[in-house]
Amino acid sequence: MTDTPVTEMSFEQAMAELEQVLGQLERGDVALDQSITLYERGAALKARCEAKLKEAEEKVAAITLDSDGNPTGTTPADIQ
Amino acid sequence: MDMIDDPSEAGNSPEFSVTELSGAIKRVIEGEFGHVRIRGEVGRVSRPRSGHVYLDLKDDRSVISGVMWKGTASRLQTQPEEGMEVIATGRITTFGGQSKYQIVIEDIKPAGMGALMALLEKRKGMLQAEGLFDESRKRPLPYLPDIIGVVTSPSGAVIRDILHRLRDRFPRKVLIWPVAVQGERCAADVARAIAGFNAMTPGGALPRPDLLIVARGGGSVEDLWGFNEEIVARAAAASEIPLISAVGHETDTTLIDYVSDRRAPTPTAAAELAVPVRHELLAWLGGQGARMSQALSTTLVRRRQRLSDLGRALPRPEVLVEGPRQRLDVLGDRLGPALIAGVQRRKVKLSEASGSLRPATLRRTVQTARRDLDRLSARLAPALARAVAAKSERFTARTARFDPTALTAQTATARRDLDRLIAGITRAGQGQTQTLRRKIDAMDRLRETLSYKATLARGYAVVRGDGDVVTTKAGAKKAATLEIEFADGKLLVGGRASGAAPKKTAPKAPDQGSLF
């Protein structure tokens, strides 16, 4: 297990650890108490993954540049 | 030439000043070479801060200086580099101040595809030697980037393709940095865009992307040439944000493709590299959830099974307590009789003990004690008499031994001793007294001889006033009575006279009288 709190994990971290938790659970060689702890952690990781998957937000913006080519801000880009 | 060599003809030739000649040459040359195309290899190139470009064009035998004014240079699609085979278009001018001529270049292009490719190969070799193409430099792309920065033209099919594919797979936030994707501004724009994205702060007002895509649609080698420029390749290599290059079609390879972290054959493919497919992940996640539940329930089922197996192996509780219960029953049965027997046994002992407990026994004991008492009290009076008699006897014996004659004799002896001692003392005392008497008498005689009374006999008298000796006339006057002592007696004056007052005392009387 990593030290990163589940709520701060990237999708990839949470995914990798979920796989790991599952592997341990499926091997069935952990104590019952620990398997319940693992299950709970797995559930938290799954929730984290779901949250990251829900963040499927499309937002497209173009950077505006000044006359010297330096960025000044963004403008919503309407590209179909 | 002959004219100059021959002095005899000098007089007929017009004379030029230097400037006039320079001007004439200038007119001839610029008139003749007002528009030329020249093919050669670029020699030394210098780019001073003025923005003009100075370069030499050369072949194996000759060299001609060239200049490209600032405006021309910035418009060029391909900047001249040393060693590049080029075709330059321009005009020849002279520079009379230094007796020089040069070509003012209005356009310069690589001399054909071969020259461009040769240039590209040269750059590749250089960057490769620097290690910029090394696999070890390439960073992994983030699995699911939050923000994707796209460096491309804001108009055109490329950005649309990318956005469509992103939307299909996993809609994300996209920041577009608009650049010219061909022409003279392309390379500088792209390099600046890559550096600009890297300069942003994660989570800032302009949030820094965690993945970059540099994209351009297909085109000719010249169209794509900007992406072969060294500044673009170096900017991509310096990018800290993982970068996907997607320039041209699959068959086009530009310099940026070698330094980018991933090369996508097309912009669409870049979008596919950038994000995973969301619904696949959702399905995968669902599967994980199911697997997890399954794994847990399997664990529980297996444990439950194991528990019931073990449970079956356990003996029944009744069996465990049967033996003890039986013992309890047996002992319980024996408990009542044991109590009764115990009571019975004590009862027997009690009746045994109480059997011998009768009044006659007590009486007998009392009688015995009384007899003892009587016997002892009978012996009491004689014993007392006997004891008194014995003590009286002892007293008498002692008194008999007490004899007064011895005491009397002792007293007589002591008296004799005493008498003798007294006699001794008396004798001694009398002796001593006589001696002392004789001494006193002697001394008294001496005293008599020394006494004033002897003086009296010689005719002197002592006058006393009121009992005290008067020695002055004043004292004598004061005295109420005067007594004059003579050798043969005293005479009181002013009272009864006991003798005649001697005349010699008269002068003394006043003196004595003054004492009163």
Side-chain angles (χ1 to χ4, degrees):
Chain A
M1 288 188 192
T2 62
D3 291 335
T4 316
V6 172
T7 49
E8 288 171 24
M9 280 185 180
S10 71
F11 180 83
E12 199 176 359
Q13 276 177 304
M15 191 169 80
E17 196 173 323
L18 181 54
E19 291 273 16
Q20 198 184 324
V21 163
L22 258 170
Q24 279 179 279
L25 264 182
E26 285 175 337
R27 275 202 308 281
D29 53 2
V30 289
L32 188 62
D33 281 356
Q34 205 195 336
S35 68
I36 286 164
T37 309
L38 277 174
Y39 182 84
E40 283 166 354
R41 184 159 180 88
L45 292 164
K46 180 169 175 273
R48 175 65 182 166
C49 289
E50 272 168 348
K52 294 301 279 182
L53 290 182
K54 271 194 196 129
E55 286 172 13
E57 174 199 13
E58 185 186 79
K59 196 166 146 192
V60 181
I63 289 174
T64 52
L65 302 169
D66 62 17
S67 54
D68 293 332
N70 295 314
T72 54
T74 59
T75 174
D78 189 21
I79 295 163
Q80 293 305 310
Chain B
M1 296 295 270
D2 289 348
M3 283 196 298
I4 294 168
D5 287 343
D6 187 354
S8 64
E9 303 219 1
N12 294 332
S13 305
E15 269 182 16
F16 289 102
S17 69
V18 175
T19 303
E20 283 168 347
L21 185 58
S22 285
I25 293 169
K26 189 179 188 75
R27 278 192 297 279
V28 170
I29 289 179
E30 290 186 2
E32 191 66 27
F33 302 104
H35 179 82
V36 291
R37 291 185 79 218
I38 175 172
R39 183 184 184 122
E41 187 190 329
V42 178
R44 191 183 49 83
V45 180
S46 99
R47 298 170 188 271
R49 287 156 65 97
S50 62
H52 311 313
V53 179
Y54 299 93
L55 51 82
D56 291 341
L57 294 174
K58 61 182 184 182
D59 58 19
D60 54 350
R61 282 199 298 265
S62 303
V63 156
I64 182 167
S65 303
V67 62
M68 210 167 8
W69 305 124
K70 187 180 173 183
T72 312
S74 64
R75 272 200 312 274
L76 285 181
Q77 205 170 58
T78 312
Q79 292 296 330
E81 283 177 35
E82 191 172 343
M84 193 189 233
E85 190 76 15
V86 292
I87 294 169
T89 311
R91 58 198 166 84
I92 307 295
T93 65
T94 64
F95 185 42
Q98 286 188 355
S99 186
K100 281 186 175 169
Y101 63 92
Q102 64 187 1
I103 176 168
V104 175
I105 298 166
E106 277 143 15
D107 189 21
I108 189 165
K109 281 182 179 156
M113 201 55 73
L116 265 184
M117 288 301 124
L119 180 64
L120 183 57
E121 285 308 314
K122 195 179 131 205
R123 281 183 193 157
K124 268 169 64 180
M126 177 179 68
L127 296 182
Q128 188 157 29
E130 286 181 32
L132 296 191
F133 300 169
D134 290 357
E135 277 303 314
S136 60
R137 293 189 80 257
K138 307 213 181 286
R139 283 141 306 175
L141 305 182
Y143 187 79
L144 181 57
D146 285 326
I147 303 169
I148 301 167
V150 182
V151 178
T152 192
S153 165
S155 56
V158 169
I159 187 65
R160 258 202 330 271
D161 288 350
I162 290 174
L163 292 178
H164 282 162
R165 187 48 59 97
L166 286 179
R167 191 178 300 153
D168 290 346
R169 292 170 68 87
F170 207 130
R172 294 277 84 184
K173 290 180 189 154
V174 175
L175 270 179
I176 303 166
W177 191 300
V179 293
V181 290
Q182 66 186 70
E184 68 272 15
R185 268 179 38 226
C186 170
D189 272 10
V190 172
R192 197 206 296 264
I194 293 170
F197 271 137
N198 273 281
M200 291 174 176
T201 325
L206 280 173
R208 187 188 200 229
D210 34 24
L211 179 68
L212 294 185
I213 298 174
V214 178
R216 194 214 186 278
S220 69
V221 173
E222 289 84 357
D223 288 343
L224 303 181
W225 192 255
F227 296 90
N228 284 324
E229 291 293 353
E230 190 180 334
I231 53 165
V232 171
R234 288 201 184 278
S239 173
E240 286 175 9
I241 306 171
L243 186 145
I244 302 172
S245 65
V247 177
H249 293 305
E250 190 160 1
T251 48
D252 302 322
T253 303
T254 52
L255 202 55
I256 192 175
D257 293 325
Y258 293 99
V259 290
S260 66
D261 296 301
R262 283 295 287 277
R263 186 216 167 197
T266 61
T268 302
E272 286 168 3
L273 286 176
V275 292
V277 181
R278 179 167 171 263
H279 67 81
E280 284 176 9
L281 288 177
L282 282 169
W284 168 84
L285 194 61
Q288 299 301 93
R291 267 176 70 193
M292 197 158 67
S293 304
Q294 181 63 41
L296 188 67
S297 66
T298 305
T299 303
L300 289 175
V301 164
R302 203 162 49 226
R303 280 179 165 79
R304 188 170 292 136
Q305 182 63 44
R306 177 82 182 127
L307 182 63
S308 69
D309 288 352
L310 289 171
R312 270 199 294 283
L314 277 179
R316 282 178 300 112
E318 303 89 80
V319 177
L320 289 177
V321 298
E322 262 168 11
R325 175 173 297 282
Q326 204 165 357
R327 280 181 61 203
L328 178 64
D329 289 346
V330 170
L331 289 174
D333 288 349
R334 284 166 55 189
L335 192 61
L339 182 63
I340 291 164
V343 169
Q344 198 64 46
R345 201 163 56 243
R346 279 171 181 78
K347 194 177 278 172
V348 169
K349 277 182 75 182
L350 176 63
S351 61
E352 276 171 6
S354 61
S356 57
L357 191 69
R358 283 189 305 275
T361 318
L362 185 62
R363 210 177 300 128
R364 200 161 50 237
T365 310
V366 171
Q367 277 172 354
T368 311
R370 184 180 297 278
R371 267 200 305 277
D372 287 350
L373 178 64
D374 290 347
R375 184 164 40 78
L376 289 172
S377 50
R379 284 163 57 191
L380 195 59
L384 181 63
R386 244 188 340 268
V388 170
K391 286 189 168 60
S392 174
E393 231 166 89
R394 280 167 65 196
F395 179 69
T396 314
R398 296 240 175 118
T399 356
R401 275 158 57 195
F402 196 70
D403 185 8
T405 51
L407 195 62
T408 312
Q410 202 171 2
T411 309
T413 312
R415 176 154 311 273
R416 274 192 305 274
D417 288 350
L418 182 63
D419 290 346
R420 198 169 55 245
L421 284 171
I422 291 170
I425 291 167
T426 308
R427 260 190 324 270
Q430 281 169 348
Q432 199 166 21
T433 307
Q434 282 168 1
T435 311
L436 290 173
R437 167 77 51 202
R438 278 190 301 271
K439 278 187 182 172
I440 290 168
D441 288 347
M443 286 197 287
D444 193 51
R445 280 190 301 274
L446 184 61
R447 188 187 63 87
E448 286 293 332
T449 60
L450 295 175
S451 168
Y452 72 93
K453 287 187 178 170
T455 313
L456 295 181
R458 292 203 312 263
Y460 292 88
V462 174
V463 181
R464 288 184 179 85
D466 300 336
D468 293 322
V469 174
V470 177
T471 57
T472 59
K473 184 179 137 195
K477 276 184 181 165
K478 280 181 190 170
T481 59
L482 287 175
E483 188 192 62
I484 305 167
E485 186 184 5
F486 297 97
D488 56 345
K490 293 174 182 177
L491 173 71
L492 202 61
V493 183
R496 285 173 322 218
S498 61
K503 283 180 182 161
K504 285 181 186 172
T505 60
K508 288 179 185 175
D511 295 335
Q512 283 176 325
S514 70
L515 293 172
F516 293 93

